[in-house]
Amino acid sequence: MDFLPIFTQLQQQPVLVVGGGAVAYRKIQLLLAAGAQVTVLAKRISADVQALQGEQLRCIEAAFGEHSIAHYKLIIAATDKPAVNAEIFQAANAANIWVNAVDDPEHGNFIFPAIVDRSPIVVAISSGGNAPVLARRLRERIEQLLPQSVSLIARFAAECRHRVKAALPSISERRDFWERWFAGPAQQLLAAGKTKQTEQLFQQQLQDFVPNQGEVWLVGAGPGDPELLTIKAMQCMQQADVLVYDGLVSADVLALARRDAERICVAKQAGFHSLPQDEINALIVRLAQQGKRVCRLKGGDPFIYGRGGEECEALVAAGIRYSVVPGVTAAAGCAAYAGIPLTHRDYAQTVQLVTGHCRANGDEPDWPSLAKARQTLVVYMGLINSGTLSQQLIAHGRSGDTPVAIIENGTRPEQRSITGTLAQLPALIAEHQVKSPALIIVGEVVALAPNLHWFQTFVAEQSASQAA
């Protein structure tokens, strides 16, 4: 994050704008709307700026340096002269005053974002000065998404906050109430001018409010790319009081969760468990019994080698309400990003998903079934036992020349896709020092990867563009 977004209170605060042209005029309008006391300093001040003079704005026709800056909170350098902007920036820094230099970021230490104003709701979009046209385009899209009635419902909530606080002493209860309120018909009622009905609805909901009972959402976070999250997964992550997440959940995905939610990592790695599965089950039950909404965030899909079924059984036994939000499983996501179609009528009509390790003393895999030709075999968590996998598949009839791929960090920018043959599998993993998370794909479809690796090309183009 190059810039920390901050909303500042400028009511009655003195702000200096250096420059009196069209650019200055646009900034002055924003400052006046925020209630600032604006002084415009320039040798020549346009008629449009002059026309704004009044209680909030005064104009001084002079050069910078002929007017003291000591008492100003902010300075806007709205000139087209880099030398003047540099002089302003140096003087302001010496006086510990923040400066915005329009179209000259080197001589400023804060920026103006593109703004969507639905006061008291204000949305700010910034590219850090690197792509202002893109920021403007994003603002236009958000303008279309946010109806004017957002302002009405926000103002209504501001007027009623003290009533909710008095009726509901718990912060979590107040959060629950407001989430239900904003999800209801109040905004539509206010947009239709039905203020009385809105007030009646508010009073009834506050009077009838019953705190949420604890519940658990088992949510699939996908294989890593945050854009593969479903809309419902995002909603659960934003509403949860507690996030219980696996080590395979990427940092980019975690960044999208509600910022004030408690976060508990229950990462599992080969040879190390921060929490055994039974304790994870007990943890999510205990959190729900405390009345909390728990987002159990799991890499990939909860029901495909995610042990989601075991967690659901524990929740059922404890009488906890729960729901399951499917996610993109690693087999689908990683194969697609590596350019490997799991099925193809010329190569494979079936797919088998298997895990590289099972319960201790578990049954042996059905090797004859797994070794069949013209099918795709996807192996989760197979790095450690790749030698056994290769030997057994070949021993049961699969050709040692069968193409294989090892996909490390699938769907993420750092994704690696290493290809070879089934006989070479353990050596490939050792040679390239492959680390978890990684997925193994065995089958004729892997031969298509060199021509279909779109994501590798995309990442390379992005890197080249950034370097340029």
Side-chain angles (χ1 to χ4, degrees):
M1 185 186 297
D2 295 326
F3 289 86
L4 177 68
I6 298 174
F7 289 83
T8 185
Q9 172 60 262
L10 288 180
Q11 288 286 340
Q12 303 299 315
Q13 297 298 315
V15 178
L16 176 65
V17 177
V18 183
V23 174
Y25 179 75
R26 293 195 296 271
K27 300 301 182 186
I28 291 166
Q29 287 181 308
L30 284 174
L31 293 167
L32 294 177
Q37 292 291 328
V38 181
T39 298
V40 180
L41 179 67
K43 288 184 177 180
R44 289 184 295 276
I45 300 176
S46 71
D48 287 340
V49 174
Q50 295 272 11
L52 295 175
Q53 287 192 91
E55 292 184 3
Q56 274 187 261
L57 183 140
R58 64 172 178 155
C59 295
I60 300 175
E61 292 188 334
F64 183 78
E66 299 175 4
H67 177 74
S68 173
I69 65 171
H71 68 289
Y72 291 105
K73 298 295 184 183
L74 299 175
I75 298 178
I76 314 300
T79 82
D80 58 359
K81 298 178 176 62
V84 175
N85 291 344
E87 181 184 358
I88 296 168
F89 185 56
Q90 183 177 4
N93 276 343
N96 291 319
I97 303 171
W98 282 16
V99 178
N100 168 254
V102 182
D103 293 332
D104 189 4
E106 290 184 7
H107 296 123
N109 44 29
F110 80 94
I111 57 178
F112 279 92
I115 295 171
V116 178
D117 188 3
R118 299 288 188 272
S119 294
I121 300 298
V122 178
V123 180
I125 308 103
S126 171
S127 65
N130 296 308
V133 173
L134 176 60
R136 176 180 56 78
R137 287 174 60 86
L138 292 173
R139 185 200 69 200
E140 291 169 355
R141 292 179 64 180
I142 296 173
E143 288 273 11
Q144 297 169 9
L145 292 172
L146 287 181
Q148 294 293 333
S149 56
V150 167
S151 175
L152 299 175
I153 189 72
R155 293 183 188 279
F156 185 93
E159 294 170 0
C160 298
R161 283 189 67 190
H162 67 284
R163 293 161 60 184
V164 176
K165 190 172 183 178
L168 305 174
S170 163
I171 292 176
S172 61
E173 289 180 351
R174 294 198 293 270
R175 184 188 296 123
D176 289 346
F177 173 82
W178 285 119
E179 286 185 354
R180 297 182 206 180
W181 172 251
F182 290 130
Q187 187 169 321
Q188 289 74 21
L189 291 172
L190 287 170
K194 298 179 179 179
T195 306
K196 184 177 181 180
Q197 292 94 320
T198 306
E199 171 60 33
Q200 291 172 343
L201 176 65
F202 178 86
Q203 186 59 40
Q204 190 65 46
Q205 288 195 5
L206 187 57
Q207 179 180 322
D208 296 343
F209 176 78
V210 176
N212 269 333
Q213 300 301 308
E215 62 181 311
V216 176
W217 302 305
L218 277 76
V219 176
D225 184 346
E227 293 187 358
L228 294 179
L229 283 171
T230 64
I231 294 174
K232 193 164 187 178
M234 281 283 294
Q235 291 171 340
C236 293
M237 291 169 62
Q238 288 291 324
Q239 294 173 20
D241 302 309
V242 185
L243 204 68
V244 179
Y245 63 96
D246 289 340
L248 293 179
V249 178
S250 71
D252 288 338
V253 169
L254 290 173
L256 299 174
R258 202 178 88 197
R259 294 190 185 278
D260 63 337
E262 180 184 358
R263 300 185 180 206
I264 302 173
C265 179
V266 291
K268 295 179 182 177
Q269 300 173 2
F272 173 80
H273 290 236
S274 64
L275 274 185
Q277 186 61 48
D278 288 346
E279 292 187 28
I280 295 174
N281 297 348
L283 172 65
I284 60 176
V285 167
R286 183 169 66 255
L287 291 169
Q289 288 173 336
Q290 293 170 1
K292 296 178 179 180
R293 292 168 300 178
V294 182
C295 177
R296 175 67 176 104
L297 196 59
K298 308 172 79 68
D301 179 271
F303 280 2
I304 299 181
Y305 300 118
R307 304 186 75 168
E310 297 172 46
E311 294 175 7
C312 287
E313 289 177 316
L315 294 168
V316 170
I320 303 296
R321 184 172 63 180
Y322 73 93
S323 57
V324 180
V325 180
V328 175
T329 188
C334 298
Y337 276 51
I340 301 172
L342 292 178
T343 63
H344 189 293
R345 65 179 181 175
D346 294 332
Y347 299 99
Q349 289 74 49
T350 60
V351 180
Q352 288 205 58
L353 310 182
V354 298
T355 177
H357 61 81
C358 306
R359 288 177 180 265
N361 303 318
D363 295 333
E364 273 288 300
D366 184 356
W367 292 113
S369 174
L370 299 181
K372 289 180 180 177
R374 299 186 64 81
Q375 72 169 349
T376 304
L377 183 65
V378 182
V379 186
Y380 290 67
M381 300 167 286
L383 293 182
I384 291 178
N385 294 323
S386 61
T388 300
L389 176 71
S390 174
Q391 293 169 6
Q392 291 292 341
L393 290 177
I394 293 172
H396 287 83
R398 199 66 151 122
S399 169
D401 293 330
T402 303
V404 297
I406 309 110
I407 306 169
E408 181 186 73
N409 291 313
T411 78
R412 307 182 192 192
E414 62 271 26
Q415 171 181 302
R416 282 201 303 165
S417 184
I418 300 155
T419 57
T421 67
L422 180 58
Q424 298 169 333
L425 178 60
L428 289 171
I429 292 172
E431 176 187 350
H432 294 276
Q433 299 182 343
V434 180
K435 305 295 183 185
S436 181
L439 194 78
I440 298 170
I441 301 179
V442 181
E444 289 78 4
V445 290
V446 172
L448 297 170
N451 290 327
L452 304 183
H453 57 70
W454 65 272
F455 184 64
Q456 181 178 330
T457 302
F458 172 77
V459 171
E461 291 174 348
Q462 290 289 99
S463 298
S465 175
Q466 291 173 1

